[in-house]
Each structure stands twice: as structure tokens, then as C-alpha cells.
Amino acid sequence: MERISVTVRLNGINLQFDEPAFARLQAYLKDAERTLERNPDRAEILGDLEHAVADQCMRRVPADRKLVTLAELEPALEEIGAVQDPGIAEPPPATATRRLEQISEGAVISGVCQGIARYLGVDVTLVRVIALVLLLVSGGTMIVVYLCMMLLLPFAAPQRGGEPVRRIPAKCREFVEALRSKLSTVAS
Amino acid sequence: MTIEPKLAPIRKGLLEFLVLKIVGARSVYVPDILRRLAGTEFATQEGTLYPLLSKLRREDLVQYEWQESDAGPPRKYYRLTDAGKAQLAALDDYWIRINRTISDIGH
């Protein structure tokens, strides 16, 4: 059994997507949301982009089918292009950033080792090996240290053309962000 | 050696100016702007233009209104505010001045 289509409401316009196209659309919008993380007009821009996607797809879908597939969505997204935040200039090259952050793309757990490696300008494997050795000799202290860093360090903005985010780092980030927003609600 | 990396930031900075010019000429929606820029050095995409227009709106340089269209969903039509018109005039003036400086220097 498989699900054939999903009805998606894009800025007020209802469209049918098949599963692969739906997944692709979700990934695109998620990326856009992350790029615009610090943009005060994020909600409005995302609405505009949804509108553009709907507009483009409607023009491409054959009238007798009314189902958006990757064949329509890919060229539509190609034409719309990745979202660029005008507030932030070109992202600085990774090695030049001197901010200690965790980097979800390509991470094993939450990206703390990658963040440290970028901060120090050393190879991430070296940091991971040291972390692993410390984990083995510290008798659990390292786990607490890692968890603290995971909870405290900001998440780096996604790099264009970066590695994908694997499942565990994505979950870690989700968890930490949910926790932070809960804490800030409690605080206010 | 390519000079492209040196030109990219110039284009990026001027895009905002050109968008103000296009919006200033008449009330437009985003595909109009894209069409006007297509084929020029400033060809761009919705992914770039919508965030830029939101920024201009936040700076109170443009405003938009929804208009019904015959083909499909309603569209956002943008036009300049008074502050936008003033800024466009200032940019136009500045552009003429730096152009003159560039062509005068080195001769």
C-alpha cells in the first residue's frame, strides 16, 4: 500500500502533490526557513515563496492530471532559485568564522566537534578522536560536557552546498530548539 | 584570471537600486520585475527578489497591494512610497556623480 497524493495548501492555494514531490517541497521550504532564520519578515517571504511555487506548478501541470510531480516541481524550484537573505551579506568562508557554534550538516551527534574544529581551524577527525579518548578516560564526565555544549552553543546557519543533515543531528537540533523555546516561554 | 568575483558584489549592491527603478516606473508584480531584468547582467530569481522586496518594505521604501488576476490567484503589486521615491532620486543622482568620477579619473 502507498499513499498516492497529498493536498498541500500553499499560501491559500490548494494543490495535489505526489509523495516524492511533497518531500522535495518540504525540504526546499525547510531550507528557506533556516536561511531566513534571523529575518524579521520570514513568515511573509515564505508565504511569497509558497505562492511562487504554487503559481509555477499550476502553469506546468497538465490540465488532465492535476497532480504535481517532481517533473513539474524541479524546474519550478530551479526557476525560483534558493532563497537569499538580503540582510546577511555573502556567508563568510567556513574557516574564517571565529564563532563557536555547532554545525548540523555532516554531524555525527549534534555537530559540537565540527564546531570546535572550525573554531580552532583543525581537522574534525582530530577533534573527534580526542573527544573519544577523553570519553573513555573521563568516566562519563565527557558526556555531561558534550550535553552542556549541545544545549548552550548556537547552531550555525546552514552553508550553501553543504553536506546534508543526518537524522540524529536533526533530532538533536529539534530537541534542543524545542527545549530552548520552552525555557524562553517559562522565562517570560 | 576572471574578474567575476570582483563584479558580483557590485551587481548585488546595484540590484536594490534597479528594483527601485523598476517599481518606480509603474506598479508591478514580481514576474514583471524578473522579466525586466532577465537577459541583463542583473537577471535574478524569486528566491532573491521576494526577500529583497520584504526588506524594502520594512524600510518603508515600497508598499504593495493585492490585485485580482484573470489567470489564477491574486497578485501582489508593488509601488514606491514617498520615501522610496526620494531614495530613488538620491540614488539616481549619486549614480550619475560616481559615473562622472569614474570616467574622469585616469584621463
Side-chain angles (χ1 to χ4, degrees), chain A residues 77-148:
Chain A
L77 293 182
E78 179 84 7
E79 197 170 323
I80 293 165
V83 68
Q84 310 280 334
D85 193 333
I88 304 164
E90 283 296 297
T95 48
T97 309
R98 296 296 292 175
R99 214 173 136 210
L100 189 52
E101 295 171 317
Q102 40 193 333
I103 304 166
S104 304
E105 287 99 335
V108 176
I109 305 173
S110 187
V112 170
C113 285
Q114 291 201 110
I116 293 172
R118 189 182 69 179
Y119 186 75
L120 298 176
V122 297
D123 193 286
V124 65
T125 312
L126 181 69
V127 180
R128 283 179 180 146
V129 169
I130 293 171
L132 200 64
V133 171
L134 286 176
L135 173 68
L136 293 175
V137 301
S138 69
T141 315
M142 227 9 230
I143 298 177
V144 179
V145 171
Y146 192 96
L147 283 177
C148 286

Coordinates of all heavy atoms in Angstrom, one line a residue, chain A residues 77-148:
Chain A
L77 N 11.3 24.9 -9.0 CA 12.2 25.3 -7.9 C 13.5 25.9 -8.5 O 14.1 26.8 -8.0 CB 12.5 24.2 -7.0 CG 11.3 23.7 -6.1 CD1 11.8 22.5 -5.2 CD2 10.7 24.8 -5.3
E78 N 13.9 25.3 -9.6 CA 15.1 25.8 -10.4 C 14.9 27.2 -10.8 O 15.8 28.0 -10.6 CB 15.3 24.9 -11.6 CG 16.4 25.2 -12.4 CD 17.7 24.6 -11.9 OE1 17.7 23.8 -11.0 OE2 18.8 25.0 -12.5
E79 N 13.7 27.5 -11.2 CA 13.4 28.9 -11.7 C 13.3 29.9 -10.5 O 13.7 31.0 -10.7 CB 12.1 28.9 -12.5 CG 12.1 30.2 -13.4 CD 10.9 30.1 -14.4 OE1 10.7 29.0 -15.0 OE2 10.3 31.2 -14.6
I80 N 12.7 29.4 -9.4 CA 12.6 30.3 -8.3 C 13.9 30.5 -7.6 O 14.2 31.6 -7.1 CB 11.6 29.7 -7.3 CG1 10.2 29.7 -7.9 CG2 11.5 30.5 -6.0 CD1 9.2 28.8 -7.2
G81 N 14.8 29.5 -7.6 CA 16.1 29.6 -7.0 C 16.1 29.5 -5.5 O 15.1 29.7 -4.8
A82 N 17.3 29.2 -4.9 CA 17.4 29.2 -3.5 C 17.2 30.5 -2.9 O 17.5 31.5 -3.5 CB 18.8 28.6 -3.1
V83 N 16.6 30.6 -1.7 CA 16.3 31.9 -1.1 C 17.6 32.5 -0.6 O 18.5 31.9 -0.1 CB 15.3 31.7 0.0 CG1 15.8 31.0 1.2 CG2 14.7 33.1 0.5
Q84 N 17.7 33.9 -0.9 CA 18.9 34.6 -0.4 C 18.4 35.6 0.6 O 17.5 36.4 0.3 CB 19.5 35.4 -1.6 CG 19.8 34.5 -2.8 CD 21.0 33.7 -2.7 OE1 21.9 34.1 -2.0 NE2 21.1 32.6 -3.4
D85 N 19.1 35.7 1.7 CA 18.7 36.7 2.7 C 19.4 38.0 2.4 O 20.7 38.0 2.5 CB 19.1 36.1 4.1 CG 18.4 37.0 5.2 OD1 18.2 38.2 4.9 OD2 18.2 36.5 6.3
P86 N 18.7 39.1 2.1 CA 19.4 40.3 1.8 C 20.0 41.0 3.0 O 20.9 41.8 2.9 CB 18.3 41.2 1.2 CG 17.1 40.7 1.9 CD 17.3 39.2 2.1
G87 N 19.6 40.6 4.2 CA 20.1 41.2 5.5 C 21.5 40.7 5.7 O 22.3 41.5 6.3
I88 N 21.8 39.5 5.4 CA 23.1 39.0 5.6 C 23.9 38.9 4.3 O 23.4 38.4 3.3 CB 23.0 37.5 6.2 CG1 22.2 37.5 7.5 CG2 24.4 37.0 6.5 CD1 21.7 36.2 7.9
A89 N 25.1 39.5 4.3 CA 25.9 39.5 3.1 C 26.3 38.1 2.8 O 26.0 37.2 3.6 CB 27.1 40.4 3.3
E90 N 27.1 37.9 1.8 CA 27.6 36.6 1.4 C 28.1 35.8 2.7 O 28.8 36.4 3.5 CB 28.8 36.7 0.4 CG 28.3 37.0 -1.0 CD 27.5 35.9 -1.6 OE1 28.1 34.8 -1.7 OE2 26.3 36.1 -1.9
P91 N 27.7 34.6 2.8 CA 28.2 33.9 4.0 C 29.7 33.8 4.0 O 30.3 33.6 3.0 CB 27.6 32.5 3.9 CG 27.2 32.3 2.5 CD 26.9 33.7 2.0
P92 N 30.3 34.1 5.2 CA 31.8 34.1 5.2 C 32.3 32.7 5.1 O 31.6 31.8 5.4 CB 32.1 34.6 6.7 CG 30.8 34.4 7.4 CD 29.7 34.4 6.5
P93 N 33.5 32.6 4.5 CA 34.0 31.2 4.3 C 34.1 30.5 5.7 O 34.4 31.2 6.7 CB 35.4 31.5 3.7 CG 35.7 32.9 3.8 CD 34.4 33.6 4.0
A94 N 33.9 29.2 5.7 CA 33.8 28.5 6.9 C 35.0 28.7 7.9 O 34.8 28.8 9.1 CB 33.6 27.0 6.6
T95 N 36.2 28.7 7.3 CA 37.4 28.7 8.1 C 37.6 30.1 8.8 O 38.2 30.2 9.8 CB 38.6 28.4 7.3 OG1 38.6 29.2 6.1 CG2 38.7 27.0 7.0
A96 N 36.9 31.2 8.2 CA 37.2 32.5 8.7 C 36.3 32.8 9.9 O 36.5 33.8 10.6 CB 36.9 33.5 7.6
T97 N 35.3 32.0 10.1 CA 34.3 32.2 11.2 C 35.0 31.9 12.6 O 35.5 30.8 12.8 CB 33.1 31.4 11.0 OG1 32.6 31.6 9.7 CG2 32.0 31.8 12.0
R98 N 35.0 32.9 13.5 CA 35.6 32.7 14.8 C 34.5 32.6 15.8 O 34.7 33.1 16.9 CB 36.6 33.8 15.1 CG 37.8 33.8 14.1 CD 38.6 32.6 14.2 NE 39.3 32.5 15.5 CZ 40.1 31.5 15.9 NH1 40.2 30.4 15.1 NH2 40.7 31.5 17.0
R99 N 33.4 32.0 15.5 CA 32.4 31.9 16.5 C 32.2 30.4 16.8 O 32.2 29.6 15.9 CB 31.1 32.4 15.9 CG 30.2 33.1 16.9 CD 29.1 33.8 16.2 NE 27.9 33.5 17.0 CZ 26.7 33.4 16.5 NH1 26.5 33.6 15.2 NH2 25.7 33.2 17.2
L100 N 32.1 30.1 18.1 CA 31.9 28.7 18.5 C 30.5 28.3 18.4 O 29.6 28.8 19.1 CB 32.5 28.5 19.9 CG 32.6 27.0 20.4 CD1 33.4 26.2 19.4 CD2 33.2 27.0 21.8
E101 N 30.2 27.4 17.4 CA 28.8 27.0 17.2 C 28.8 25.5 16.9 O 29.8 24.9 16.8 CB 28.3 27.7 15.9 CG 28.2 29.2 15.9 CD 27.9 29.8 14.5 OE1 28.4 29.3 13.5 OE2 27.0 30.7 14.5
Q102 N 27.6 24.9 16.9 CA 27.5 23.6 16.5 C 27.0 23.5 15.0 O 26.1 24.3 14.7 CB 26.7 22.7 17.4 CG 25.5 23.3 18.0 CD 24.9 22.5 19.1 OE1 25.1 21.3 19.2 NE2 24.2 23.2 20.0
I103 N 27.5 22.6 14.3 CA 27.2 22.5 12.8 C 26.5 21.2 12.5 O 27.0 20.2 12.6 CB 28.5 22.6 12.0 CG1 29.3 23.9 12.4 CG2 28.2 22.6 10.5 CD1 30.7 23.9 11.9
S104 N 25.2 21.4 12.2 CA 24.4 20.2 12.0 C 24.8 19.4 10.7 O 24.7 18.2 10.7 CB 22.9 20.6 11.9 OG 22.5 21.3 13.0
E105 N 25.1 20.1 9.6 CA 25.5 19.4 8.4 C 26.7 18.5 8.6 O 27.7 19.0 9.0 CB 25.7 20.4 7.3 CG 24.5 21.1 6.8 CD 24.3 22.5 7.4 OE1 24.9 22.7 8.5 OE2 23.7 23.3 6.7
G106 N 26.5 17.3 8.3 CA 27.6 16.3 8.3 C 28.0 15.9 9.7 O 29.0 15.2 9.9
A107 N 27.2 16.3 10.7 CA 27.5 15.9 12.1 C 27.2 14.5 12.4 O 26.4 13.8 11.7 CB 26.6 16.8 13.0
V108 N 27.9 14.0 13.5 CA 27.6 12.6 13.9 C 26.5 12.6 15.0 O 25.5 11.9 14.9 CB 28.9 11.9 14.4 CG1 28.5 10.5 15.0 CG2 29.9 11.8 13.3
I109 N 26.8 13.5 16.0 CA 25.7 13.6 17.1 C 25.0 14.9 16.9 O 23.9 14.9 16.4 CB 26.4 13.5 18.5 CG1 27.2 12.2 18.6 CG2 25.3 13.5 19.6 CD1 28.0 12.0 19.9
S110 N 25.6 16.0 17.3 CA 24.9 17.3 17.2 C 25.8 18.3 16.5 O 25.3 19.4 16.3 CB 24.5 17.8 18.6 OG 23.7 18.9 18.5
G111 N 27.0 18.0 16.2 CA 27.8 18.9 15.5 C 28.8 19.7 16.3 O 29.4 20.7 15.9
V112 N 28.9 19.4 17.6 CA 29.8 20.1 18.5 C 31.3 20.0 18.1 O 32.0 20.9 18.0 CB 29.6 19.6 20.0 CG1 30.7 20.2 20.9 CG2 28.2 20.0 20.5
C113 N 31.7 18.7 17.8 CA 33.1 18.5 17.4 C 33.4 19.3 16.1 O 34.5 19.9 16.0 CB 33.3 17.0 17.1 SG 33.5 16.1 18.6
Q114 N 32.4 19.3 15.2 CA 32.7 20.1 13.9 C 32.8 21.6 14.2 O 33.6 22.2 13.6 CB 31.5 19.9 13.0 CG 31.4 18.5 12.4 CD 30.5 18.5 11.1 OE1 31.1 18.3 10.1 NE2 29.3 18.7 11.3
G115 N 32.0 22.0 15.2 CA 32.1 23.5 15.6 C 33.4 23.8 16.2 O 34.0 24.8 15.8
I116 N 33.9 22.9 17.1 CA 35.2 23.1 17.7 C 36.3 23.1 16.6 O 37.2 24.0 16.6 CB 35.4 22.1 18.8 CG1 34.4 22.3 19.9 CG2 36.9 22.1 19.3 CD1 34.5 21.1 21.0
A117 N 36.2 22.1 15.7 CA 37.2 22.0 14.7 C 37.3 23.3 13.8 O 38.3 23.8 13.5 CB 36.9 20.8 13.8
R118 N 36.1 23.8 13.5 CA 36.1 25.0 12.7 C 36.6 26.2 13.4 O 37.4 27.0 12.9 CB 34.6 25.3 12.2 CG 34.6 26.4 11.2 CD 33.2 26.8 10.7 NE 32.5 27.4 11.8 CZ 31.2 27.8 11.7 NH1 30.6 27.6 10.6 NH2 30.6 28.4 12.7
Y119 N 36.2 26.3 14.7 CA 36.7 27.4 15.6 C 38.2 27.4 15.7 O 38.9 28.4 15.6 CB 36.1 27.2 17.0 CG 36.4 28.4 17.9 CD1 35.7 29.6 17.7 CD2 37.3 28.3 18.9 CE1 36.0 30.7 18.5 CE2 37.5 29.3 19.7 CZ 36.9 30.5 19.6 OH 37.2 31.6 20.4
L120 N 38.8 26.2 15.8 CA 40.2 26.1 16.0 C 41.0 26.0 14.7 O 42.2 26.0 14.7 CB 40.6 24.8 16.9 CG 40.0 24.8 18.3 CD1 40.4 23.5 19.0 CD2 40.6 26.0 19.1
G121 N 40.2 25.8 13.6 CA 40.9 25.6 12.3 C 41.6 24.3 12.2 O 42.7 24.3 11.5
V122 N 41.2 23.2 12.8 CA 41.8 21.9 12.7 C 40.8 20.9 12.1 O 39.7 21.2 11.9 CB 42.3 21.4 14.1 CG1 43.4 22.3 14.6 CG2 41.1 21.2 15.0
D123 N 41.4 19.8 11.7 CA 40.6 18.7 11.1 C 39.6 18.2 12.1 O 39.9 17.9 13.3 CB 41.5 17.6 10.6 CG 40.7 16.7 9.6 OD1 39.9 15.9 10.1 OD2 40.9 16.8 8.4
V124 N 38.3 18.0 11.7 CA 37.3 17.5 12.6 C 37.6 16.1 13.1 O 37.3 15.7 14.3 CB 35.9 17.5 11.9 CG1 35.8 16.6 10.8 CG2 34.8 17.2 13.0
T125 N 38.3 15.3 12.3 CA 38.7 13.9 12.8 C 39.5 14.0 14.0 O 39.3 13.2 15.0 CB 39.4 13.1 11.6 OG1 38.7 13.3 10.5 CG2 39.5 11.7 12.0
L126 N 40.5 14.9 14.0 CA 41.3 15.1 15.2 C 40.5 15.4 16.4 O 40.7 14.8 17.5 CB 42.3 16.2 14.9 CG 43.3 16.5 16.0 CD1 44.3 15.4 16.1 CD2 44.1 17.8 15.7
V127 N 39.6 16.3 16.3 CA 38.7 16.7 17.4 C 37.9 15.5 17.9 O 37.8 15.2 19.1 CB 37.8 17.8 17.1 CG1 36.9 18.2 18.2 CG2 38.6 19.0 16.6
R128 N 37.4 14.7 16.9 CA 36.6 13.6 17.3 C 37.4 12.5 18.0 O 36.9 11.9 19.0 CB 35.9 13.0 16.1 CG 34.7 13.8 15.6 CD 34.1 13.2 14.3 NE 33.0 14.0 13.9 CZ 32.6 14.2 12.6 NH1 33.3 13.7 11.7 NH2 31.6 15.0 12.4
V129 N 38.6 12.3 17.6 CA 39.5 11.3 18.2 C 39.8 11.7 19.6 O 39.7 10.9 20.6 CB 40.8 11.1 17.4 CG1 41.8 10.3 18.2 CG2 40.5 10.4 16.1
I130 N 40.1 13.0 19.8 CA 40.4 13.5 21.2 C 39.2 13.4 22.0 O 39.2 12.9 23.2 CB 40.9 15.0 21.1 CG1 42.2 15.0 20.4 CG2 41.0 15.6 22.5 CD1 42.7 16.4 20.1
A131 N 38.0 13.7 21.5 CA 36.8 13.6 22.3 C 36.5 12.2 22.7 O 36.1 11.9 23.8 CB 35.6 14.1 21.4
L132 N 36.8 11.2 21.8 CA 36.6 9.8 22.1 C 37.5 9.3 23.2 O 37.1 8.6 24.1 CB 36.8 9.0 20.8 CG 36.1 7.6 20.7 CD1 34.6 7.8 20.8 CD2 36.5 6.9 19.5
V133 N 38.8 9.7 23.1 CA 39.8 9.3 24.1 C 39.3 9.9 25.4 O 39.3 9.2 26.5 CB 41.2 9.8 23.7 CG1 42.1 9.6 24.9 CG2 41.7 9.1 22.5
L134 N 38.9 11.2 25.4 CA 38.5 11.8 26.7 C 37.3 11.1 27.3 O 37.1 10.9 28.5 CB 38.2 13.3 26.5 CG 39.4 14.2 26.3 CD1 39.0 15.6 26.0 CD2 40.3 14.2 27.6
L135 N 36.4 10.7 26.4 CA 35.2 10.0 26.8 C 35.6 8.7 27.5 O 35.0 8.4 28.6 CB 34.3 9.7 25.6 CG 33.1 8.8 25.8 CD1 32.1 9.5 26.6 CD2 32.5 8.3 24.5
L136 N 36.6 8.0 27.0 CA 36.9 6.7 27.5 C 37.7 6.9 28.9 O 37.5 6.1 29.8 CB 37.8 5.9 26.6 CG 37.1 5.5 25.3 CD1 38.1 4.8 24.3 CD2 36.0 4.6 25.6
V137 N 38.5 8.0 29.0 CA 39.3 8.1 30.3 C 38.5 8.9 31.3 O 38.9 8.9 32.5 CB 40.7 8.7 30.0 CG1 41.5 7.9 29.0 CG2 40.5 10.1 29.5
S138 N 37.5 9.7 30.9 CA 36.9 10.6 31.9 C 35.8 10.0 32.7 O 35.3 10.6 33.6 CB 36.4 11.8 31.1 OG 35.2 11.5 30.4
G139 N 35.4 8.8 32.3 CA 34.4 8.1 33.1 C 33.0 8.9 33.1 O 32.5 9.1 34.2
G140 N 32.6 9.3 32.0 CA 31.2 9.9 31.9 C 31.2 11.4 32.0 O 30.2 12.0 31.5
T141 N 32.3 12.0 32.5 CA 32.3 13.5 32.5 C 32.1 14.1 31.2 O 31.4 15.1 31.0 CB 33.6 14.0 33.2 OG1 33.9 13.2 34.3 CG2 33.5 15.4 33.6
M142 N 32.8 13.5 30.2 CA 32.7 14.0 28.8 C 31.3 14.0 28.3 O 31.0 14.9 27.5 CB 33.6 13.0 28.0 CG 34.6 13.6 27.0 SD 34.9 15.3 27.1 CE 34.7 15.7 25.4
I143 N 30.5 13.0 28.7 CA 29.1 13.0 28.2 C 28.4 14.3 28.7 O 27.7 14.9 28.0 CB 28.4 11.8 28.7 CG1 29.1 10.5 28.1 CG2 26.9 11.8 28.3 CD1 28.5 9.2 28.6
V144 N 28.6 14.6 30.0 CA 28.0 15.8 30.6 C 28.5 17.0 29.8 O 27.7 17.9 29.5 CB 28.3 15.9 32.1 CG1 27.7 17.1 32.7 CG2 27.8 14.7 32.8
V145 N 29.8 17.1 29.6 CA 30.4 18.2 28.9 C 29.8 18.4 27.5 O 29.3 19.5 27.1 CB 31.9 18.1 28.8 CG1 32.5 19.2 27.9 CG2 32.6 18.2 30.1
Y146 N 29.6 17.3 26.8 CA 29.1 17.3 25.5 C 27.6 17.8 25.5 O 27.2 18.7 24.8 CB 29.1 15.9 24.8 CG 28.8 16.0 23.3 CD1 29.8 16.1 22.4 CD2 27.5 16.1 22.9 CE1 29.6 16.2 21.0 CE2 27.2 16.2 21.5 CZ 28.2 16.2 20.6 OH 28.0 16.3 19.3
L147 N 26.9 17.3 26.5 CA 25.5 17.7 26.6 C 25.3 19.2 26.9 O 24.5 19.9 26.3 CB 24.8 16.9 27.7 CG 24.4 15.4 27.3 CD1 23.8 14.7 28.5 CD2 23.4 15.4 26.1
C148 N 26.2 19.7 27.8 CA 26.2 21.1 28.1 C 26.4 21.9 26.8 O 25.7 22.9 26.6 CB 27.3 21.4 29.1 SG 26.8 20.9 30.8

